[in-house]
Coordinates of all heavy atoms in Angstrom, one line a residue:
M1 N 14.0 30.5 -5.5 CA 14.7 29.7 -6.4 C 15.5 28.6 -5.8 O 15.6 27.5 -6.2 CB 15.6 30.6 -7.3 CG 16.1 30.0 -8.5 SD 14.8 29.5 -9.6 CE 15.7 29.8 -11.1
F2 N 16.1 29.0 -4.6 CA 17.0 28.0 -3.9 C 16.2 26.8 -3.4 O 16.7 25.7 -3.5 CB 17.7 28.8 -2.7 CG 18.4 27.9 -1.8 CD1 19.7 27.4 -2.3 CD2 18.0 27.5 -0.6 CE1 20.4 26.5 -1.5 CE2 18.7 26.7 0.2 CZ 19.9 26.1 -0.2
L3 N 15.0 27.0 -3.0 CA 14.2 25.9 -2.5 C 13.8 24.9 -3.6 O 13.9 23.7 -3.4 CB 12.8 26.5 -1.9 CG 11.9 25.4 -1.3 CD1 12.6 24.6 -0.1 CD2 10.6 26.1 -0.9
R4 N 13.6 25.5 -4.7 CA 13.2 24.5 -5.9 C 14.4 23.7 -6.2 O 14.3 22.5 -6.6 CB 12.8 25.6 -7.1 CG 12.4 24.6 -8.3 CD 11.8 25.5 -9.3 NE 11.4 24.8 -10.5 CZ 11.1 25.2 -11.7 NH1 11.1 26.6 -11.8 NH2 10.8 24.4 -12.6
E5 N 15.6 24.3 -6.4 CA 16.8 23.5 -6.7 C 17.2 22.5 -5.5 O 17.5 21.4 -5.9 CB 18.0 24.6 -6.8 CG 17.9 25.4 -8.0 CD 19.0 26.4 -8.0 OE1 19.8 26.5 -7.0 OE2 19.0 27.3 -9.0
R6 N 16.9 22.9 -4.3 CA 17.1 21.9 -3.2 C 16.1 20.7 -3.3 O 16.5 19.6 -3.1 CB 16.9 22.7 -2.0 CG 17.1 21.6 -0.7 CD 17.0 22.5 0.5 NE 16.8 21.6 1.6 CZ 17.7 21.1 2.4 NH1 19.0 21.4 2.2 NH2 17.5 20.3 3.4
I7 N 14.9 20.9 -3.7 CA 13.9 19.9 -3.8 C 14.2 18.9 -5.0 O 14.3 17.8 -4.9 CB 12.5 20.5 -4.0 CG1 12.0 21.0 -2.8 CG2 11.5 19.4 -4.5 CD1 10.7 22.0 -2.8
Q8 N 14.7 19.6 -6.2 CA 15.1 18.9 -7.3 C 16.4 17.9 -7.0 O 16.4 16.8 -7.4 CB 15.4 19.8 -8.5 CG 14.2 20.3 -9.1 CD 14.6 21.3 -10.3 OE1 15.7 21.6 -10.4 NE2 13.5 21.7 -11.0
T9 N 17.2 18.5 -6.2 CA 18.5 17.7 -5.8 C 18.1 16.5 -4.9 O 18.5 15.5 -5.1 CB 19.5 18.7 -5.0 OG1 19.8 19.7 -5.9 CG2 20.8 17.8 -4.8
L10 N 17.2 16.8 -3.9 CA 16.8 15.7 -3.0 C 16.0 14.7 -3.7 O 16.2 13.4 -3.6 CB 15.9 16.3 -1.9 CG 16.6 17.0 -0.9 CD1 15.5 17.7 0.1 CD2 17.5 16.2 -0.1
F11 N 15.2 15.1 -4.8 CA 14.4 14.1 -5.5 C 15.5 13.3 -6.5 O 15.3 12.1 -6.5 CB 13.4 14.8 -6.4 CG 12.6 13.9 -7.3 CD1 11.6 13.1 -6.7 CD2 12.8 13.8 -8.6 CE1 10.8 12.3 -7.4 CE2 12.1 12.8 -9.4 CZ 11.0 12.1 -8.8
K12 N 16.4 13.9 -7.0 CA 17.3 13.2 -7.9 C 18.1 12.2 -7.0 O 18.5 11.0 -7.4 CB 18.2 14.1 -8.6 CG 17.5 14.8 -9.8 CD 18.5 15.8 -10.4 CE 17.8 16.5 -11.6 NZ 18.6 17.6 -12.1
R13 N 18.5 12.6 -5.8 CA 19.3 11.7 -4.9 C 18.5 10.7 -4.4 O 19.0 9.5 -4.2 CB 19.9 12.5 -3.8 CG 20.9 11.9 -3.0 CD 21.4 12.6 -1.8 NE 21.4 14.1 -2.0 CZ 21.2 14.9 -1.0 NH1 21.0 14.5 0.3 NH2 21.2 16.2 -1.3
N14 N 17.3 10.8 -4.3 CA 16.4 9.6 -3.6 C 15.5 9.0 -4.7 O 14.5 8.6 -4.3 CB 15.7 10.3 -2.4 CG 16.6 10.6 -1.3 OD1 17.4 9.9 -0.9 ND2 16.2 11.9 -0.8
L15 N 15.9 9.1 -5.9 CA 14.9 8.6 -7.0 C 14.7 7.1 -6.8 O 13.6 6.7 -7.0 CB 15.5 9.0 -8.4 CG 14.6 8.6 -9.6 CD1 13.3 9.3 -9.6 CD2 15.4 9.0 -10.8
H16 N 15.7 6.4 -6.6 CA 15.6 5.0 -6.5 C 14.6 4.6 -5.3 O 13.8 3.7 -5.5 CB 17.0 4.3 -6.2 CG 16.9 2.8 -6.0 ND1 16.5 2.0 -7.1 CD2 17.3 2.1 -5.0 CE1 16.6 0.8 -6.7 NE2 16.9 0.7 -5.4
H17 N 14.8 5.2 -4.2 CA 13.9 5.0 -3.0 C 12.4 5.4 -3.3 O 11.4 4.6 -3.0 CB 14.4 5.7 -1.8 CG 15.7 5.1 -1.3 ND1 16.0 3.9 -0.8 CD2 16.9 5.8 -1.2 CE1 17.2 3.8 -0.5 NE2 17.8 4.9 -0.8
T18 N 12.3 6.5 -3.9 CA 11.1 6.9 -4.3 C 10.3 6.0 -5.3 O 9.1 5.6 -5.0 CB 11.1 8.4 -4.9 OG1 11.7 9.3 -4.0 CG2 9.8 8.9 -5.3
C19 N 11.0 5.6 -6.2 CA 10.4 4.7 -7.2 C 10.0 3.3 -6.6 O 9.1 2.7 -6.8 CB 11.3 4.4 -8.4 SG 11.4 5.9 -9.4
T20 N 11.0 2.8 -5.6 CA 10.6 1.6 -4.9 C 9.4 1.7 -4.1 O 8.6 0.8 -4.1 CB 11.9 1.2 -4.1 OG1 13.0 1.0 -4.9 CG2 11.6 -0.2 -3.3
Y21 N 9.3 2.8 -3.3 CA 8.1 2.9 -2.4 C 6.9 3.0 -3.4 O 5.8 2.4 -3.0 CB 8.4 4.1 -1.6 CG 9.2 4.0 -0.4 CD1 10.1 5.0 -0.1 CD2 9.4 2.9 0.2 CE1 11.1 4.9 0.9 CE2 10.3 2.7 1.3 CZ 11.0 3.8 1.6 OH 12.1 3.6 2.7
W22 N 6.9 3.7 -4.3 CA 5.7 3.9 -5.3 C 5.4 2.5 -5.8 O 4.2 2.3 -5.9 CB 6.1 4.9 -6.3 CG 4.9 5.1 -7.3 CD1 4.0 6.0 -7.2 CD2 4.8 4.3 -8.4 NE1 3.0 5.7 -8.2 CE2 3.4 4.8 -9.0 CE3 5.4 3.3 -9.2 CZ2 3.0 4.3 -10.2 CZ3 4.9 2.7 -10.3 CH2 3.7 3.3 -10.8
S23 N 6.2 1.7 -6.2 CA 5.9 0.5 -6.9 C 5.3 -0.5 -5.8 O 4.5 -1.2 -6.2 CB 7.2 -0.2 -7.5 OG 8.2 -0.5 -6.5
V24 N 5.9 -0.4 -4.6 CA 5.1 -1.2 -3.6 C 3.8 -0.8 -3.2 O 2.9 -1.6 -3.1 CB 6.1 -1.2 -2.3 CG1 5.4 -1.9 -1.0 CG2 7.4 -1.9 -2.5
I25 N 3.6 0.5 -3.2 CA 2.2 1.0 -2.7 C 1.3 0.7 -3.9 O 0.2 0.2 -3.8 CB 2.2 2.4 -2.5 CG1 2.9 2.7 -1.1 CG2 0.8 3.1 -2.5 CD1 3.1 4.0 -0.9
F26 N 1.8 0.9 -5.3 CA 1.0 0.6 -6.5 C 0.6 -0.9 -6.5 O -0.6 -1.2 -6.8 CB 1.8 1.0 -7.6 CG 1.1 0.7 -8.9 CD1 0.1 1.6 -9.4 CD2 1.3 -0.3 -9.8 CE1 -0.6 1.5 -10.5 CE2 0.7 -0.4 -11.0 CZ -0.3 0.4 -11.4
S27 N 1.6 -1.8 -6.2 CA 1.3 -3.3 -6.3 C 0.3 -3.6 -5.1 O -0.6 -4.5 -5.4 CB 2.6 -4.1 -6.1 OG 3.2 -3.8 -4.9
F28 N 0.5 -3.0 -3.9 CA -0.6 -3.3 -3.0 C -2.0 -2.8 -3.4 O -3.1 -3.6 -3.2 CB -0.3 -2.6 -1.6 CG 0.6 -3.3 -0.8 CD1 1.5 -2.7 -0.1 CD2 0.6 -4.7 -0.5 CE1 2.5 -3.3 0.8 CE2 1.5 -5.4 0.1 CZ 2.4 -4.7 0.9
G29 N -2.1 -1.7 -4.0 CA -3.3 -1.2 -4.5 C -4.0 -2.2 -5.7 O -5.2 -2.4 -5.7
L30 N -3.1 -2.6 -6.5 CA -3.5 -3.6 -7.6 C -4.2 -4.9 -7.0 O -5.2 -5.4 -7.4 CB -2.5 -3.9 -8.5 CG -2.2 -2.8 -9.5 CD1 -1.1 -3.3 -10.3 CD2 -3.4 -2.4 -10.4
C31 N -3.4 -5.4 -5.8 CA -4.0 -6.6 -5.2 C -5.3 -6.4 -4.5 O -6.2 -7.2 -4.7 CB -2.8 -7.0 -4.2 SG -1.4 -7.7 -4.8
I32 N -5.4 -5.3 -3.9 CA -6.7 -5.0 -3.3 C -7.9 -4.8 -4.4 O -9.0 -5.2 -4.2 CB -6.6 -3.7 -2.3 CG1 -5.5 -4.1 -1.3 CG2 -7.9 -3.4 -1.8 CD1 -5.8 -5.3 -0.5
A33 N -7.5 -4.0 -5.3 CA -8.5 -3.7 -6.5 C -8.8 -5.0 -7.1 O -10.0 -5.4 -7.5 CB -7.9 -2.7 -7.4
F34 N -8.0 -6.0 -7.2 CA -8.3 -7.3 -7.9 C -9.2 -8.0 -7.0 O -10.1 -8.6 -7.5 CB -6.9 -8.0 -8.2 CG -7.3 -9.4 -8.7 CD1 -7.7 -9.6 -10.0 CD2 -6.9 -10.5 -7.9 CE1 -7.9 -10.8 -10.5 CE2 -7.2 -11.8 -8.3 CZ -7.6 -11.9 -9.8
L35 N -8.9 -8.1 -5.7 CA -9.8 -8.9 -4.8 C -11.2 -8.2 -4.7 O -12.1 -8.9 -4.4 CB -9.1 -8.9 -3.5 CG -7.9 -9.8 -3.3 CD1 -7.3 -9.7 -2.0 CD2 -8.2 -11.2 -3.8
G36 N -11.4 -6.9 -4.7 CA -12.5 -6.3 -4.7 C -13.5 -6.7 -5.7 O -14.7 -6.8 -5.4
H37 N -13.2 -7.0 -6.8 CA -14.1 -7.4 -7.9 C -14.5 -9.0 -7.8 O -15.4 -9.3 -8.6 CB -13.4 -7.2 -9.4 CG -13.3 -5.8 -9.6 ND1 -14.3 -4.9 -9.9 CD2 -12.1 -5.0 -9.6 CE1 -13.8 -3.8 -10.1 NE2 -12.5 -3.7 -10.0
T38 N -13.8 -9.6 -6.9 CA -14.1 -11.1 -6.8 C -15.0 -11.3 -5.6 O -15.4 -12.5 -5.3 CB -12.8 -11.9 -6.6 OG1 -12.1 -11.4 -5.4 CG2 -12.0 -11.7 -7.9
I39 N -15.6 -10.3 -4.9 CA -16.4 -10.4 -3.7 C -17.6 -11.3 -4.0 O -17.9 -12.3 -3.3 CB -16.9 -9.1 -3.1 CG1 -15.6 -8.4 -2.5 CG2 -17.9 -9.3 -2.1 CD1 -16.0 -7.1 -1.9
L40 N -18.3 -11.2 -5.0 CA -19.5 -11.9 -5.3 C -19.2 -13.3 -5.5 O -19.7 -14.3 -5.2 CB -20.2 -11.3 -6.5 CG -20.9 -9.9 -6.3 CD1 -21.5 -9.4 -7.6 CD2 -21.8 -10.0 -5.1
Y41 N -18.1 -13.6 -6.3 CA -17.7 -15.1 -6.6 C -17.2 -15.5 -5.3 O -17.5 -16.8 -5.0 CB -16.5 -14.8 -7.5 CG -15.8 -16.3 -8.0 CD1 -16.6 -17.1 -8.6 CD2 -14.7 -16.7 -7.5 CE1 -16.2 -18.2 -9.1 CE2 -14.1 -17.9 -7.8 CZ -14.8 -18.8 -8.6 OH -14.5 -20.0 -8.9
L42 N -16.5 -14.9 -4.4 CA -16.1 -15.5 -3.1 C -17.5 -15.8 -2.3 O -17.5 -16.7 -1.6 CB -15.3 -14.4 -2.3 CG -13.8 -14.3 -2.9 CD1 -13.1 -13.3 -2.1 CD2 -13.1 -15.5 -2.6
L43 N -18.4 -14.9 -2.3 CA -19.7 -15.2 -1.5 C -20.2 -16.5 -2.1 O -20.6 -17.3 -1.2 CB -20.7 -14.0 -1.8 CG -20.3 -12.8 -1.1 CD1 -21.3 -11.7 -1.5 CD2 -20.4 -12.9 0.3
C44 N -20.3 -16.8 -3.4 CA -20.9 -18.0 -4.0 C -20.0 -19.2 -3.6 O -20.6 -20.2 -3.1 CB -21.1 -17.8 -5.4 SG -22.3 -16.7 -6.0
Q45 N -18.6 -19.1 -3.6 CA -17.8 -20.3 -3.4 C -17.8 -20.6 -1.9 O -17.8 -21.7 -1.6 CB -16.4 -19.9 -4.0 CG -16.3 -19.8 -5.4 CD -16.5 -21.1 -6.0 OE1 -16.1 -22.2 -5.6 NE2 -17.2 -21.1 -7.2
T46 N -17.7 -19.6 -1.1 CA -17.7 -19.9 0.4 C -19.0 -20.0 1.2 O -19.1 -20.4 2.3 CB -16.9 -18.9 1.0 OG1 -17.4 -17.7 1.0 CG2 -15.3 -18.9 0.6
Q47 N -20.2 -19.7 0.3 CA -21.5 -19.7 1.0 C -21.5 -18.8 2.2 O -22.0 -19.2 3.2 CB -21.9 -21.1 1.2 CG -22.1 -21.8 -0.1 CD -22.5 -23.2 0.1 OE1 -22.6 -23.7 1.2 NE2 -22.7 -23.9 -0.9
S48 N -20.8 -17.7 2.2 CA -20.7 -16.7 3.2 C -21.7 -15.5 3.0 O -22.2 -15.4 1.9 CB -19.4 -16.1 3.5 OG -18.5 -17.2 3.5
T49 N -21.8 -14.7 4.0 CA -22.7 -13.4 3.8 C -21.8 -12.3 3.5 O -20.5 -12.4 3.7 CB -23.4 -13.1 5.1 OG1 -22.5 -12.9 6.2 CG2 -24.2 -14.2 5.6
L50 N -22.3 -11.3 3.1 CA -21.5 -10.1 2.6 C -20.8 -9.5 3.8 O -19.6 -9.0 3.8 CB -22.4 -8.9 2.0 CG -21.6 -7.8 1.5 CD1 -20.6 -8.1 0.6 CD2 -22.7 -6.7 1.0
S51 N -21.3 -9.4 5.0 CA -20.6 -9.0 6.2 C -19.4 -9.8 6.7 O -18.5 -9.4 7.1 CB -21.7 -8.9 7.5 OG -22.2 -10.2 7.8
Q52 N -19.6 -11.2 6.4 CA -18.3 -12.0 6.8 C -17.3 -11.8 5.8 O -16.1 -11.7 6.3 CB -18.9 -13.5 6.7 CG -19.8 -13.9 7.8 CD -20.3 -15.3 7.6 OE1 -20.4 -15.9 6.4 NE2 -20.6 -16.0 8.7
I53 N -17.5 -11.7 4.5 CA -16.4 -11.4 3.6 C -15.8 -10.0 3.8 O -14.7 -9.7 3.8 CB -17.0 -11.4 2.1 CG1 -17.4 -12.8 1.8 CG2 -16.0 -10.9 1.1 CD1 -16.3 -13.9 1.8
T54 N -16.8 -9.0 4.2 CA -16.3 -7.7 4.5 C -15.3 -7.7 5.6 O -14.3 -7.0 5.7 CB -17.4 -6.8 4.7 OG1 -18.4 -6.7 3.6 CG2 -17.0 -5.3 5.0
L55 N -15.6 -8.6 6.7 CA -14.9 -8.6 7.8 C -13.4 -9.2 7.4 O -12.3 -8.7 8.0 CB -15.5 -9.5 8.8 CG -14.7 -9.7 10.2 CD1 -14.5 -8.3 11.0 CD2 -15.4 -10.7 11.0
V56 N -13.4 -10.0 6.6 CA -12.0 -10.7 5.9 C -11.3 -9.5 5.4 O -10.1 -9.4 5.7 CB -12.3 -11.8 5.1 CG1 -11.0 -12.2 4.4 CG2 -13.0 -12.9 6.0
F57 N -11.8 -8.8 4.6 CA -11.1 -7.7 3.9 C -10.7 -6.6 4.9 O -9.6 -6.2 4.8 CB -12.0 -7.1 2.7 CG -12.0 -7.8 1.5 CD1 -13.0 -8.8 1.3 CD2 -11.1 -7.7 0.5 CE1 -12.9 -9.6 0.0 CE2 -11.1 -8.1 -0.6 CZ -11.9 -9.2 -0.8
F58 N -11.5 -6.3 5.8 CA -11.1 -5.3 6.8 C -9.9 -5.9 7.7 O -9.0 -5.1 7.9 CB -12.4 -5.0 7.7 CG -12.0 -4.1 8.8 CD1 -11.7 -2.8 8.7 CD2 -11.8 -4.7 10.1 CE1 -11.2 -1.9 9.8 CE2 -11.4 -3.8 11.1 CZ -11.2 -2.5 11.0
S59 N -10.0 -7.1 8.0 CA -9.0 -7.7 8.9 C -7.7 -7.7 8.1 O -6.7 -7.4 8.7 CB -9.4 -9.1 9.3 OG -10.5 -9.1 10.0
Q60 N -7.7 -8.0 6.9 CA -6.6 -7.9 6.0 C -5.9 -6.6 6.0 O -4.7 -6.4 6.3 CB -6.8 -8.4 4.6 CG -5.6 -8.4 3.6 CD -6.1 -8.6 2.2 OE1 -7.2 -8.6 1.9 NE2 -5.1 -9.0 1.4
Q61 N -6.6 -5.6 5.8 CA -6.2 -4.3 5.7 C -5.6 -3.8 7.1 O -4.7 -3.0 7.1 CB -7.2 -3.4 5.1 CG -7.5 -3.5 3.7 CD -6.3 -3.5 2.8 OE1 -5.5 -2.4 2.9 NE2 -5.9 -4.6 2.1
F62 N -6.4 -4.0 8.0 CA -6.1 -3.6 9.4 C -4.7 -4.2 9.8 O -3.8 -3.5 10.4 CB -7.2 -4.0 10.4 CG -6.9 -3.5 11.8 CD1 -7.0 -2.1 12.0 CD2 -6.5 -4.3 12.8 CE1 -6.8 -1.7 13.4 CE2 -6.2 -3.9 14.1 CZ -6.3 -2.5 14.3
C63 N -4.5 -5.5 9.6 CA -3.2 -6.1 9.8 C -2.1 -5.6 9.1 O -1.0 -5.5 9.5 CB -3.4 -7.6 9.7 SG -4.4 -8.4 11.0
L64 N -2.4 -5.2 7.8 CA -1.4 -4.6 6.9 C -0.9 -3.2 7.6 O 0.3 -2.9 7.6 CB -1.9 -4.4 5.6 CG -0.9 -3.7 4.5 CD1 0.3 -4.7 4.4 CD2 -1.7 -3.4 3.2
L65 N -1.9 -2.4 8.0 CA -1.7 -1.1 8.7 C -0.8 -1.5 9.8 O 0.2 -0.7 10.1 CB -2.9 -0.5 9.0 CG -2.8 0.9 9.8 CD1 -2.1 1.9 8.9 CD2 -4.1 1.3 10.3
I66 N -1.1 -2.3 10.8 CA -0.5 -2.5 12.0 C 1.0 -3.0 11.7 O 2.0 -2.5 12.3 CB -1.2 -3.6 12.9 CG1 -2.6 -3.0 13.3 CG2 -0.4 -3.9 14.1 CD1 -2.5 -1.6 14.1
G67 N 1.2 -3.9 10.9 CA 2.3 -4.5 10.4 C 3.3 -3.4 9.8 O 4.6 -3.4 10.1
S68 N 2.7 -2.5 9.0 CA 3.6 -1.6 8.4 C 4.0 -0.4 9.5 O 5.1 -0.1 9.5 CB 2.8 -0.7 7.5 OG 2.5 -1.6 6.3
S69 N 3.2 -0.2 10.4 CA 3.5 0.7 11.5 C 4.5 0.2 12.5 O 5.5 0.9 12.7 CB 2.2 1.0 12.3 OG 1.2 1.6 11.5
I70 N 4.5 -1.1 12.7 CA 5.4 -1.7 13.6 C 6.8 -1.8 12.9 O 7.9 -1.5 13.4 CB 5.1 -3.2 14.1 CG1 3.9 -2.8 15.2 CG2 6.1 -3.8 14.7 CD1 3.2 -4.1 15.4
G71 N 6.8 -2.1 11.6 CA 8.0 -2.3 10.7 C 8.7 -0.9 10.7 O 9.9 -0.7 10.7
G72 N 7.8 0.2 10.5 CA 8.5 1.6 10.4 C 9.1 1.9 11.7 O 10.2 2.7 11.7
V73 N 8.4 1.5 12.9 CA 9.2 2.0 14.1 C 10.5 1.2 14.3 O 11.4 1.8 14.6 CB 8.2 1.4 15.4 CG1 9.0 1.5 16.7 CG2 7.0 2.3 15.4
F74 N 10.6 -0.1 13.8 CA 11.7 -1.0 14.0 C 12.8 -0.3 12.9 O 14.1 -0.4 13.2 CB 11.5 -2.4 13.6 CG 10.9 -3.0 14.9 CD1 9.8 -4.0 14.7 CD2 11.5 -3.0 16.2 CE1 9.3 -4.5 15.7 CE2 10.9 -3.5 17.2 CZ 9.8 -4.4 17.0
K75 N 12.3 0.1 11.8 CA 13.4 0.7 10.8 C 13.9 2.0 11.2 O 15.2 2.2 11.0 CB 12.5 0.9 9.4 CG 13.3 1.6 8.4 CD 14.4 0.7 7.9 CE 15.1 1.4 6.7 NZ 16.4 0.8 6.5
K76 N 13.2 2.8 12.1 CA 13.7 4.0 12.5 C 14.9 3.8 13.6 O 15.8 4.5 13.7 CB 12.7 4.8 13.2 CG 11.9 5.6 12.2 CD 10.9 6.5 13.0 CE 10.1 7.4 11.9 NZ 9.2 8.3 12.6
T77 N 14.8 2.7 14.3 CA 15.7 2.4 15.4 C 17.0 1.6 14.9 O 17.1 1.2 13.8 CB 15.1 1.7 16.6 OG1 14.6 0.4 16.1 CG2 14.0 2.6 17.3

């Protein structure tokens, strides 16, 4: 019972931070989902191959991962 009350207290105390993090992750997901449906249109517009467009999406996500990791390290210090 004590653990449950402690978790509820922590959640209430950090509700603003939790909602902020959730909204950022949700908006990143929406941006990626929106771009995923436009791959065929991008192929036609840029006259690229599927592997070239896939490399662009992979590079974007990889750089996002690296940037978030570096930002997290700087935030901790």
Side-chain angles (χ1 to χ4, degrees):
M1 192 67 146
F2 176 72
L3 181 62
R4 183 177 179 185
E5 292 172 359
R6 180 177 161 93
I7 291 173
Q8 288 176 348
T9 304
L10 285 173
F11 182 74
K12 288 177 185 176
R13 190 178 333 146
N14 296 312
L15 182 62
H16 178 62
H17 296 294
T18 302
C19 291
T20 302
Y21 289 139
W22 179 85
S23 64
V24 168
I25 291 170
F26 183 76
S27 64
F28 278 143
L30 283 179
C31 291
I32 299 306
F34 176 72
L35 290 175
H37 292 289
T38 61
I39 287 179
L40 295 177
Y41 182 70
L42 287 172
L43 289 174
C44 294
Q45 290 295 319
T46 60
Q47 297 176 354
S48 304
T49 63
L50 184 60
S51 62
Q52 290 171 331
I53 294 293
T54 304
L55 182 62
V56 170
F57 277 89
F58 173 76
S59 301
Q60 177 191 14
Q61 292 303 307
F62 184 71
C63 290
L64 179 66
L65 174 69
I66 297 300
S68 297
S69 300
I70 291 171
V73 168
F74 285 133
K75 176 66 176 155
K76 280 187 175 181
T77 58

